[in-house]
Amino acid sequence: MRVMKFGGTSVGDAARMRRVIELIEAAARHERVCLVASAVTGVTNLLVDATQRVAAGEDVSPFTDRFRSVHEQIVADLDGVLRAGDSDLLLGVIQTLTREFERLLQGVSLLREAPPLAIARVSSLGERASCAILAEIARARGLEPLLLDPSEYVIATGDPLEAVPDMERVRERWAPIRNGRERLILLPGFFAGDGDGRIVLLGRGGSDWSAAIAAAALDAALCEIWTDVDGIYSADPRLVPDAFPVSETSFEEAMELSYFGAKVLHPKTIQPARERGIPVAVRNSFAPEKPGTLVKNGAAPSPHGVRGLTLLRDVVLLNLTGSGMAGIPGVASRAFGALGEAGISAILISQASSECAISICVARKDGARAVIVLDKAFEAERRLTRVDDIEMRTGLAILSVVGDGMRTRVGSAGTFFDALAQIAVNVVAIAQGSNERSISAVIQEHDGERALRHAHHRFFGTPEALDLFVFGVGGVGTKLLHQIAAQRERLRARGVEVRITGIANSKAMVLDEKGLDPSFARDALTGPSARPVNLAQVAEFAAKQKLVTPVFVDCTANAELALRYGTVMDAGLHVVTANKIANSSSSAMYRELRRIARHKQRRFLYETNVGAGLPVIWTLQKLVNTGDRVVRIEGVLSGSMSYLMGRLEEGALMSHAVREAKEKGFTEPDPRDDLSGRDVARKVLILARETGIDIEPEQVVVEGVLPREIMEQGDVEEFFDALPKLDAEFAARMKDLKSKGQTLRFVGTIEEGRASVGLRAVDVDHPLSSIKGGENALAFLTEHYSPRPMVIRGYGAGAEVTAAGVLSDILSLADWGGA
């Protein structure tokens, strides 16, 4: 015997109903089948809504007309499928059910209220209608279904809207069928009977429960739940795009997952099947070729240690605290007893080891009532100030990780909480079952989706998304987009998805939640989606989209933008910048940016501020963080000065060398911007601060390459006209240095708490003497690297290498370890 249950979407129209009967027919060739069906999708909501709105004074007819038309349309669409006369028979059944619906609503209208038994009877009409249609389709296929009335075969007690089946009586009622020969049994789901002819409901999700009840009553070999998804997923696929259906779970895992919010199976469904050891399969009626998920005893533990993650929203946390609770027996039982008597379910419980605090999560709809209940239960203790007033925290959700494998896998809890810390999600309360099958964290609801996605990535190694907001599409920004486009597939294969979620230049910006193609992202700035640049809108967009790793990428030299980094990080974005202005401004701002980054747990990355793509900042930070003491830093930190000094060493005249450097693109359009030494001074300032020196920009001693009178010549051409006056002087100087075994370099130096920039004669064996042709180099003399310094050398200028350095910073935000 196999039980096959089909939900509302699976029987949503005539074509889907026909597909259901085809699946039933195929199964019935090999074994007896019990078909359990829900109402047509949307009909139960229509019925329940009708009772509420008619009780409030609305007219009956729009609801009854809608009920009739939905089912009559399905019958009409079955023309040519049903046997002769069956359509008229079905229309008669639908008319009868519609009249019953109308009479019940008229009673509700007269009473101006909907009693529970009336709601239960109204709510059963959807299943009664859908199963009547399914029975006739089955008969047209040559099957002869035995259509059962749940009010006679599923006996339940308790709340008419949340009744509990009496399995002993149910098995008695099903005994003749269990021992019978009918090939197809058809049972409407969701409702039951109280044993006295009155209809009661099994609650939302009750059709799944009906299937499990039938399976237990029939001693079925398998209970199949056919729905519109491929099985039980590792997480809600609507929230986690990379979630995947799991092949199997244990009953216990499935119960935990469903209890904490997984919607595929209701927790009540699992228990009857579990008690009798009947496997439950979750299948997709729209893709029956897919294997689905099998819930059974003895399921193999997940290779990831966890089976899945869930997010349960709309919860509140009640805090019961007080010094008088310590060491007093029965406090917890009184709290839970009071809630239980009020019909309020405690979803999660956490108790402090001091015994002075108990935290209880309940559904948000029960929150205010739960406070009243607990206040009343501890009224005497509150008067004596032994127990404080009940505190209720709202706007919360419960994130849970579930898996039998966590019992034998070391580090699951660490992975879970580390994942939350990585994205700055605060944990309000923690609970772990003694069976080590589940760990739950109460978090802010607005953090829920991104916490779920990141925790899923950490446990299952699925791709992690880095959402970039790229400001500046000049040389560096354009090269960055090209590099991302070229490496997207390789990065995706390694588990990182880099998305251009926003792009901006000085005039416009575009935000796109699906991500822009990096090859054409610049074009969007002149398209219909472009809007004025607004950093506040970027922050709002990132928050609304629940982005896990939003990254603000500054590829400009804009001072105003640099001054907004603190605001950007405060809004939850990481900052990656090639812009040196923020780090080379006041020391107060330098410290404030790092304070905000620490407080908000955001990364502030700026490797390209010194040396473009060379690992200068990273290396220096590692030296300092490992306790090494920096004695001296010397560096050639300008590609233009490197080229210029190299040409002078080779015998070129100063005027010719400067013009060559400009023509080859080594200098700014006005070479005096490079020759002044100001850019090198900013880099030296940043390096000094990274070593711990508290220094202001004006304290860096800067000696330009050329005399002031030459630098202050009018426009660029007038400057070039004046340059030959220095040719003889520099030629003589270079000749003199050569005779001494030295050469000239433009060097930034940090030593004994001071920073300076200027021309310097270096010996031929000095680490910087061979640096020319546009190369950069830094020599770190430290306690560990002494007497010979550590040297970093390479091309430290140009859009290509700078963009590569920016991309490296971006990728450092990814968690490459996965699970």
Side-chain angles (χ1 to χ4, degrees):
M1 171 66 75
R2 184 194 308 185
V3 174
M4 301 173 70
K5 179 265 173 180
F6 291 86
T9 54
S10 298
V11 296
D13 56 35
R16 293 177 184 181
M17 286 188 172
R18 290 176 62 186
R19 182 59 179 152
V20 165
I21 297 303
E22 288 172 3
L23 291 170
I24 294 295
E25 184 180 20
R29 296 192 189 105
H30 308 287
E31 58 191 323
R32 298 176 71 199
V33 174
C34 176
L35 165 60
V36 179
S38 296
V40 171
T41 184
V43 168
T44 300
N45 288 339
L46 167 71
L47 297 169
V48 174
D49 189 43
T51 60
Q52 296 171 346
R53 293 170 64 175
V54 168
E58 293 193 28
D59 188 34
V60 169
S61 57
F63 302 104
T64 56
D65 290 347
R66 177 62 179 160
F67 176 82
R68 179 172 52 252
S69 65
V70 166
H71 295 97
E72 286 181 348
Q73 183 61 54
I74 292 175
V75 174
D77 292 340
L78 290 170
D79 185 42
V81 174
L82 302 177
R83 297 178 303 185
D86 284 352
S87 291
D88 292 338
L89 177 64
L90 273 178
L91 290 174
V93 171
I94 291 166
Q95 186 62 37
T96 299
L97 293 173
T98 303
R99 284 198 296 269
E100 181 178 348
F101 185 24
E102 185 177 29
R103 287 196 302 272
L104 289 165
L105 289 184
Q106 286 171 345
V108 168
S109 179
L110 289 171
L111 292 171
R112 282 293 188 265
E113 66 173 320
L117 285 171
I119 295 173
R121 191 164 192 91
V122 168
S123 299
S124 72
L125 295 170
E127 277 73 16
R128 290 159 66 188
S130 65
C131 286
I133 298 171
L134 287 166
E136 294 308 319
I137 300 173
R139 292 189 182 101
R141 303 281 299 198
L143 301 170
E144 292 299 328
L146 174 63
L147 180 58
L148 302 181
D149 182 351
S151 65
E152 296 181 9
Y153 284 88
V154 183
I155 307 302
T157 60
D159 184 344
L161 303 182
E162 295 280 349
V164 178
D166 183 336
M167 288 306 300
E168 185 174 343
R169 295 177 68 186
V170 169
R171 281 186 63 81
E172 288 176 3
R173 296 286 178 102
W174 284 73
I177 300 171
R178 187 166 59 246
N179 300 318
R181 301 177 63 84
E182 297 88 358
R183 299 297 295 174
L184 176 59
I185 302 149
L186 181 52
L187 177 73
F190 184 41
F191 69 96
D194 66 355
D196 293 321
R198 291 184 292 265
I199 288 175
V200 295
L201 301 183
L202 298 175
R204 282 297 178 140
S207 289
D208 286 358
W209 202 3
S210 297
I213 293 166
L218 291 167
D219 291 333
L222 178 66
C223 178
E224 292 181 336
I225 307 297
W226 291 81
T227 181
D228 56 359
V229 294
D230 292 339
I232 298 175
Y233 276 72
S234 56
D236 188 337
R238 294 168 300 180
L239 305 180
V240 183
D242 296 305
F244 56 89
V246 300
S247 59
E248 63 181 27
T249 76
S250 68
F251 282 113
E252 293 77 14
E253 287 173 322
M255 289 178 71
E256 292 277 358
L257 288 168
S258 58
Y259 179 78
F260 282 114
K263 302 297 185 184
V264 178
L265 279 179
H266 195 281
K268 296 181 293 189
T269 304
I270 301 163
Q271 190 57 34
R274 180 190 180 214
E275 287 178 353
R276 304 195 74 84
I278 301 169
V280 177
V282 181
R283 304 283 300 279
N284 189 343
S285 61
F286 301 101
E289 72 281 358
K290 294 186 177 180
T293 300
L294 187 64
V295 183
K296 64 176 185 176
N297 285 322
S302 166
H304 305 282
V306 305
R307 192 72 74 182
L309 295 99
T310 63
L311 181 67
L312 183 62
R313 306 176 194 262
D314 293 329
V315 301
V316 299
L317 186 71
L318 309 174
N319 288 319
L320 177 62
T321 61
S323 59
M325 293 169 54
I328 306 299
V331 172
S333 64
R334 286 172 60 193
F336 303 140
L339 292 174
E341 289 177 9
I344 299 172
S345 175
I347 301 170
L348 176 147
I349 303 162
S350 179
Q351 183 169 8
S353 58
S354 66
E355 301 182 356
C356 292
I358 299 174
S359 297
I360 305 169
C361 271
V362 301
R364 182 173 61 183
K365 63 182 179 62
D366 295 326
R369 191 161 57 94
V371 171
I372 295 171
V373 167
L374 292 175
D375 275 340
K376 184 177 181 180
F378 293 93
E379 185 176 2
E381 287 85 353
R382 288 193 302 110
R383 282 201 302 266
L384 297 172
T385 67
R386 293 177 180 174
V387 172
D388 302 329
D389 290 341
I390 307 301
E391 176 195 12
M392 182 172 73
R393 296 188 60 174
T394 60
L396 302 176
I398 301 174
L399 179 65
S400 300
V401 56
V402 175
D404 289 335
M406 291 196 295
R407 288 178 291 181
T408 56
R409 188 184 183 99
V410 176
S412 296
T415 299
F416 184 44
F417 293 112
D418 183 56
L420 299 181
Q422 279 183 327
I423 57 171
V425 170
N426 185 50
V427 177
V428 177
I430 299 168
Q432 180 172 8
S434 59
N435 55 25
E436 301 181 68
R437 183 175 291 115
S438 68
I439 306 171
S440 298
V442 182
I443 60 176
Q444 297 294 328
E445 186 168 9
H446 61 76
D447 287 328
E449 289 185 25
R450 64 191 190 93
L452 176 65
R453 288 197 294 269
H454 189 61
H456 186 275
H457 158 73
R458 286 293 308 273
F459 278 106
F460 295 107
T462 51
E464 179 180 20
L466 302 178
D467 288 282
L468 311 187
F469 297 86
V470 179
F471 275 63
V473 288
V476 173
T478 298
K479 292 294 184 183
L480 175 64
L481 294 173
H482 290 167
Q483 290 175 12
I484 291 171
Q487 297 190 56
R488 283 181 85 185
E489 294 306 319
R490 182 184 67 83
L491 292 171
R492 189 179 288 121
R494 294 185 61 195
V496 177
E497 179 76 30
V498 180
R499 294 195 299 230
I500 309 299
T501 307
I503 192 165
N505 57 20
S506 60
K507 298 178 180 178
M509 74 175 186
V510 174
L511 304 176
D512 190 320
E513 66 273 13
K514 295 180 181 178
L516 299 163
D517 185 331
S519 298
F520 306 102
R522 288 183 61 186
D523 299 339
L525 292 170
T526 56
S529 300
R531 65 178 87 174
V533 178
N534 188 317
L535 282 184
Q537 290 181 5
V538 172
E540 291 168 6
F541 180 87
K544 181 180 179 181
Q545 297 301 320
K546 306 290 193 293
L547 303 180
V548 174
T549 313
V551 189
F552 180 83
V553 183
D554 184 4
C555 295
T556 75
N558 186 289
E560 183 180 351
L561 202 60
L563 295 176
R564 300 288 297 278
Y565 293 165
T567 302
V568 169
M569 288 189 286
D570 198 52
L573 284 77
H574 301 283
V575 171
V576 173
T577 180
N579 187 339
K580 294 184 281 292
I581 293 174
N583 280 327
S584 59
S585 61
S586 69
S587 60
M589 181 176 182
Y590 180 88
R591 291 191 298 271
E592 176 64 5
L593 290 176
R594 282 143 186 83
R595 186 197 65 78
I596 294 173
R598 286 192 301 271
H599 176 67
K600 301 298 291 188
Q601 294 184 302
R602 299 295 83 185
R603 300 281 299 282
F604 177 38
L605 302 171
Y606 43 90
E607 184 63 69
T608 55
N609 277 193
V610 180
L614 297 177
V616 174
I617 299 290
W618 182 89
T619 301
L620 181 54
Q621 289 175 341
K622 291 297 180 184
L623 290 173
V624 173
N625 292 340
T626 55
D628 200 355
R629 187 177 70 85
V630 177
V631 177
R632 183 175 64 248
I633 299 175
E634 298 174 296
V636 172
L637 298 170
S638 166
S640 56
M641 292 299 97
S642 167
Y643 179 84
L644 182 62
M645 294 301 117
R647 289 295 291 127
L648 292 178
E649 183 182 344
E650 293 165 1
L653 297 175
M654 170 60 80
S655 59
H656 293 172
V658 173
R659 190 173 289 276
E660 280 181 20
K662 179 180 182 298
E663 291 171 352
K664 291 179 178 292
F666 280 105
T667 72
E668 296 295 329
D670 188 339
R672 287 173 290 187
D673 293 338
D674 300 277
L675 293 165
S676 68
R678 287 190 297 269
D679 184 61
V680 175
R682 283 194 288 265
K683 296 176 182 179
V684 169
L685 175 64
I686 294 168
L687 290 175
R689 287 172 169 174
E690 292 294 318
T691 67
I693 300 172
D694 189 5
I695 186 172
E696 296 293 347
E698 60 271 17
Q699 292 177 283
V700 179
V701 177
V702 183
E703 176 195 346
V705 175
L706 305 179
R708 177 178 296 180
E709 59 270 20
I710 299 295
M711 293 288 285
E712 292 178 351
Q713 294 292 322
D715 60 22
V716 175
E717 284 307 313
E718 290 173 330
F719 163 71
F720 273 117
D721 288 343
L723 267 183
K725 300 175 184 178
L726 301 176
D727 287 346
E729 177 184 339
F730 271 93
R733 187 174 180 180
M734 296 305 295
K735 182 177 180 181
D736 179 58
L737 289 172
K738 187 175 182 180
S739 68
K740 297 176 182 178
Q742 295 179 316
T743 190
L744 194 63
R745 293 292 178 260
F746 194 71
V747 179
T749 305
I750 302 164
E751 188 172 14
E752 295 181 352
R754 294 187 294 273
S756 62
V757 173
L759 290 171
R760 179 176 165 188
V762 297
D763 295 332
V764 292
D765 60 352
H766 191 280
L768 302 182
S769 66
S770 60
I771 305 304
K772 54 187 176 180
E775 277 193 301
N776 279 195
L778 278 116
F780 295 102
L781 184 69
T782 73
E783 286 185 343
H784 297 164
Y785 291 91
S786 179
R788 297 185 64 83
M790 175 197 293
V791 177
I792 298 174
R793 174 179 176 176
Y795 285 101
E800 193 76 43
V801 293
T802 302
V806 171
L807 182 56
S808 177
D809 271 350
I810 292 168
L811 295 178
S812 73
L813 294 168
D815 170 37
W816 296 92

